[in-house]
Structures are given as structure tokens and as C-alpha cells.
Amino acid sequence: MEIIIEEISRGHKLLGRHKFAKQSINVGRGYHSDIILSDPHVCAEHLSIEFDGDNWLIADQDSINGCFLDDGNKPANGHIVRSGDVITLGKSQIRVVFPHHPVETSITLSPFENLINLTKHPVALFVNIALFAIITGWMFFLNNPKEVTFTQLFVPSIGLTLMFAIWPASVALISHLTKHDARIFTQLGLCFVFYNLTWFSDFIEALVKFNTSSQFPLTALLALLPISIAFCLFWLNCYVGFHMSGKRRTVVAVCLTTLLFGGSFLIEMSKKPDFSIRPHFNSTLLTPSFMFAKSSSVDEFIENSNELFSKAKKAAKEDE
Amino acid sequence: MKGLISLLLVLVCNISVAVEQAETIFKQHAPSLYQIRLIDKASGEKSSIGSGFQISSDGLIATNYHVISSYARHPEKYRIEFLDHQGKKAHLELKSIDVINDLALVKRDVEQEMPFFTIANSVPTKGEELYSLGNPHDLGMIVVPGTYNGLKKESFNDRIHFTGSVNSGMSGGPVVNKNSDVVGINVATSGNQIGFLVPHDKLLALVKVYNEQNNLTIDQQMEQQLNQYQKNLIGTLLKSNWPLRKLGEGMIPMIDVPFIRCWGESNADKSDALVMLAVANCSLEENTYISGNFFTGALEMEFRYMQAKKLSDVKFYQLFQRQIARVMPGNKAGKDDVTEFQCQHDIVMPENQLINNKAILCTRAYKDFNDLYDVLYLGISIDRDDQAFISHFTLAGVAQNSAQAFTSKFMESVSWK
């Protein structure tokens, strides 16, 4: 009769797995034991698991700290083992499984697994990071009203690139600490692909805002673009870095996205004064070559302003 | 030499005559002159002071609107008091206002008929000797001699240009001629020896309306006056010629009326500037004071022509965008007076098809006065790679139809050369 004993951590992470074809297995700190635990709270001969012909039984070897079922206080001595039982001894835990114990259905390899792996390819990685640094530098250049030298652009763009590398590095560190594959290059590659996608979505947003009037009803939907990009990034971060169920991954990604955008929204709200004399309008400008929309006539513009005036009038009435 | 001595003698005589005249006027009218004070009810102290003068035997007193404006806007917070030449204080009641000409009528209780100032029925002649009466800086009643210099030309509302010191605290005091008839009311100063007076006919008109007994509240009077004023002002502007003038490669309208004056500036001296910039600024250099930070009736237009010198078009437009995002209105009215701005924007081409603009129009409504708005317009050319043209105006305290008519005419007038 075969039996499998798994050493697990307190967080139920697998540390080691042993298969035995014996009638009796000893667990303890002593070197003669079948499973040797290094936990100082475990006795040299702590417990044994024995087969009596029908069942496996747990026998405490008069250990100092005893042995218990699961995390609870129920003594395990004399307990008839069922497949999957967890036994606590000292500060360690083991799990006993029989060979017929069912396993979860295999997860199919995601079709974009290959795509994800592509991002860690040295050339792809380099191109993405370089692209990000160049766009960042270019933005600094565009927003600087004075003439700037190359070094003046180089330093902030590299600085910002390094700062943005902190996120994938942290995710990789956390997955390493939780006994998962770190996959730092995959994380880096992924993140920079998505950072660059954000630049692209910014451009799309500017293009739409530049070409549409305030009458255009879908401008608010543009905000969904960066939100969905952030969601995808967080989802993939989880996919690459941790083994978790699809549902849990989605929940984590939603939480992180909410934290990011909800947080910035709250900060914005807290800074907003009770009353602002500054008019807020769409000031997006691109070069004439990006103008595709048809112009309205002055009369149409004035006609539309009727609505504007009635809105202002309504606001005045509401405050009275 | 003889001539010089006689000239000096004449001067001395003139001065002594003027002094004598001033003394008589002052003595004669002291009982009809008052210091008007606004008392803050909560603290019991005066919060602002001005001067006033009695214009009827039954206690009607004329002063400036801005002296009692805080009371007019917040009657629950203040009360109005007068202090007469004998140091007596008593309560005053606000009867009527003319917010455009900065006049107000208040009334005291009288037991018997009192002496009062008569209002002149003719306009003084240029150079005529006038005497301004008032209580500057709470220092006591004084008389200041000065000269009538006609009406201020660059002003939409009539104001007398008076050469003489009008100081704060003298606001609301009368200005009389040799016969002690009131020809104007102290209202403003523009530094040394330049004072401005409200002409006497505005006061006559206000008294006439008051005597006709229409029962409008102070707010209703204000609303009616502001409405009438904006109608006159915008009507006059729209009827005037709008000749076009060149600014850089653009054409800008110059409204051909004396009360709108223009100033210009450019960075042509800065050879290292990335963008060549020329600015023209035209405005109506007067506005109507309502209270605190709340001014209205102003008009301002600004035109900027910009040309990229050593700059890519992408950077030019990016810098340009940052500049326009910082636009602010001139009128710093607060939450109690106006709503927040609402804005609309579109790409607009005028009928002549010479320019394509991104047009932004923002407006906010006045909370206490129906159908009056502040309007802000911004037009930004988006059809040339290395040149940009910004046309901008703000109007304060205008009705919707005036605002729309002005905006339309303005938008049709601005174009490339």
C-alpha cells in the first residue's frame, strides 16, 4: 500500500513530496526518521503513520508538543487518515495523500503564452524599453518652452524609465518570495509593451478630442481606454507571476485597477476647490495635419451656445 | 517786470477770492453735508465711510452707490448711519440706487424743514471754478477748489473730468459752482489733481425716477439698470464700424468707438525666442462696481499672433496648447455672485473661409440678476503649421442675445490676411 507525504509550509505551499511503499513511516527530527523535519519544536521521534491492514493510523510517539489535525487543537493520535489530511506537528505541517487522490484538471496552455514569451526576447525587450525612453524624452522636449540640450533630456527620460521599471521588478520580487518563478524579464517586457500602449492611447485620445466638438457624446468613453490597458497589464502580471485561478486573477486585476484610477480620482477630488473661477475647457491641440473633422459655421456654433446659456442659467437657479 | 508783478497780484487776488468763496460755501452748507458710514452690525464698528449731501427739505441725501454697496448687497449685515456737522449720528434708510452711474439716495428722519443743496440746471463751462466738498480719510469736512474740464472722452458713461484733489472718503460729496448749485458728485480719482465726477443730470434723473414711486427692490433696480446698460453698450458696439487691422499675418477688428482703447506689445527685441509673438489688447477701461470683487460691464479683447522661428510644428502646437490652457477671466467674482463656467468647443470656419479655428465659448450666469452672464471666448487657428493666431474676448454682465450677437460678429471678423 503506497502513501504520499508532503511537507508543506504554514501557507500550504509545497516544500517536499515523498512516496513510500512501507507499512510504517516515522516522522521526526532524528536522522533515522523517514521524513526528517528540521523544526526545533518537533521531537526526534515525533509520530508514526502505520497501516493496520485496512487503514492508516497516526500514532503520537509521546512527543512534547503533540500532533494535531489541520490547524486546530484536535489531537491526531489514533486518527484514521483520510486522503488529503493535514497534520500539524510543532510548527510544521505535513499532508498525507493516497495514490488515488484526485488531481485538478490540467490547465490548457494559453494561446498567448507564446506571445507573452516573445516580450522577454532580448531584442523585443530592448526595443520596447528604448521606445519608452525615447517617447518620454520627446515629451520632455515638447513641453519645454526653452531650447534644451541632449543631456537635459537624457537624464529625466532614463530616470523615468528606471522608475517605471520598479513595478515589474516588484511583481517579480513578490512572486519570487512566494515561491513562484520570478520571470523578471517577462514582467519587464510585458510592462513596457503596455506602457508604450498607454502612449498610443494618449495619442488616440488627443486625436479624438482634437477632432470632435463638445456636442460629441462619446468623449467620456475615451477614459475607458487607459483603464482597460491598466486592467490587462495587471491581469497579465498575475498570470505570469503567480499560480492562481482565473477568477482570483480577475479579482486582483480589478482591485489594482480600481486602486490606481480610484486613488487618482480621489486625489483629484480632494484638491478640487469648492468654487473655481477658472473655466475648464478642452484645450487639446495637434498640428493641422491631424485635423480631419469638417468645420462648423459660426451660425451653428452660436446655435449650439443656446444650450450652454440654459445650462448656466439652470446652475444659477439650482444654487438659489 | 511791472507786468510780472501785476500778474502775480492778479494771481494772489484770484486765490484769495477763491478761498473766500470756498469759506462761504462751506459755512453756508455745513448742515447739509454728512459723513455716510456703514456700520457692521456684529462688531458695531464702521466698515466703510463716504460723504453725502442733502438734496431735499424732507431729508433725502445723495451719495455714491459704492459707499453703501455692502449694505445694498447684504442688508442683514450692515446698517447705514450719518454723522452731521454737529457730530450727531442717526440711522439712514436706503431708498434708490443707480448702479451704473454710482449714485444712491438715502433718507434721514427730519423734524422740521432743513436746508439743502439745489441741483444745477445747466452744465458748467470749461475752465469754470468748482468746489468739491467731502470728508477725506475721516479727517473732517473740507472744501477743495478745482476746475471743470469737460466730460471724459474715452468713457462710455459720462464722467466730468475735474482738476482738483478728490480723495477717498470724499466719494459721494457734492461739487458745486460759485452759486452753490450742485454740478457733480465726487466719484473717483486717477492720481494727482485728476478727479472724476458724476454729472448732475444723472442725479436729477435718479431723483425723478424715485419721485415717480415705482416699488422696485434694490436688487430689481440693479437688475433693470444692468440689463439696460448692457443693451446700450453692446448695441452701440454692434452698430459701430469694425475696421480690420493687420496683426502679423492676421486681421483683427478694431471697434471704432472712443471708449475702447488698444495697447500693443511684442517680443521682437528677443532674438533667441523660439516663437515670435505680437499682442494687441483692446478694452473698455471702465466697469461697474457691484460689491467686493464683483465688477461687471467690462469688455476686453486680446489678439496674439505667433510664428515659430526655429521650432518643429509639433512642438509649436504643444507649447501653444499649454499656453491656452491657462486662460483666466478678469472678473474675480465669487461663489455668491456667479456660477462656475460652462464651456463648449468646436472647429469653426467663418463665412469668408480664410481661417479655421478651434473655438471655445464659456459662460457663467449671475445668481442674483436674471439673464445676465459673463462670457469668455477663445479662438485658436489650427490651419497653419508654423503660425498661430489667438483671438479672445471677455464680456461681463451681458444678456444671452447680446453675447451671441457680439460673439457672432467677432468670430466673423477675425481671419488671416
Side-chain angles (χ1 to χ4, degrees), chain B residues 343-362:
Chain B
C343 298
Q344 73 171 31
H345 67 95
D346 201 353
I347 306 295
V348 182
M349 191 180 276
E351 236 165 68
N352 60 23
Q353 307 214 326
L354 290 177
I355 194 167
N356 202 12
N357 276 322
K358 175 166 187 147
I360 296 161
L361 184 70
C362 299

Side-chain angles (χ1 to χ4, degrees), chain A residues 141 143-145 212-214 274 276 282-286 288 295-296 301 304-306 311 316 319-320, chain B residues 274 315 317-318 321-322 335 339-340 342-349 356 358 365 367 382 385 400 404:
Chain A
F141 165 74
N143 283 309
N144 201 322
T212 54
S213 78
S214 43
D274 177 35
S276 160
N282 166 325
S283 59
T284 313
L285 283 183
L286 294 174
S295 308
S296 309
F301 186 73
N304 288 335
S305 73
N306 286 334
K311 244 171 41 189
D319 279 4
E320 262 171 25
Chain B
L274 295 177
K315 180 159 181 173
Y317 272 85
Q318 183 75 14
Q321 169 176 333
R322 280 160 53 95
K335 192 185 169 191
T339 65
E340 289 194 357
Q342 316 268 349
C343 298
Q344 73 171 31
H345 67 95
D346 201 353
I347 306 295
V348 182
M349 191 180 276
N356 202 12
K358 175 166 187 147
K367 285 184 177 171
I382 47 149
D385 282 338
Q400 179 177 344
Q404 287 176 326

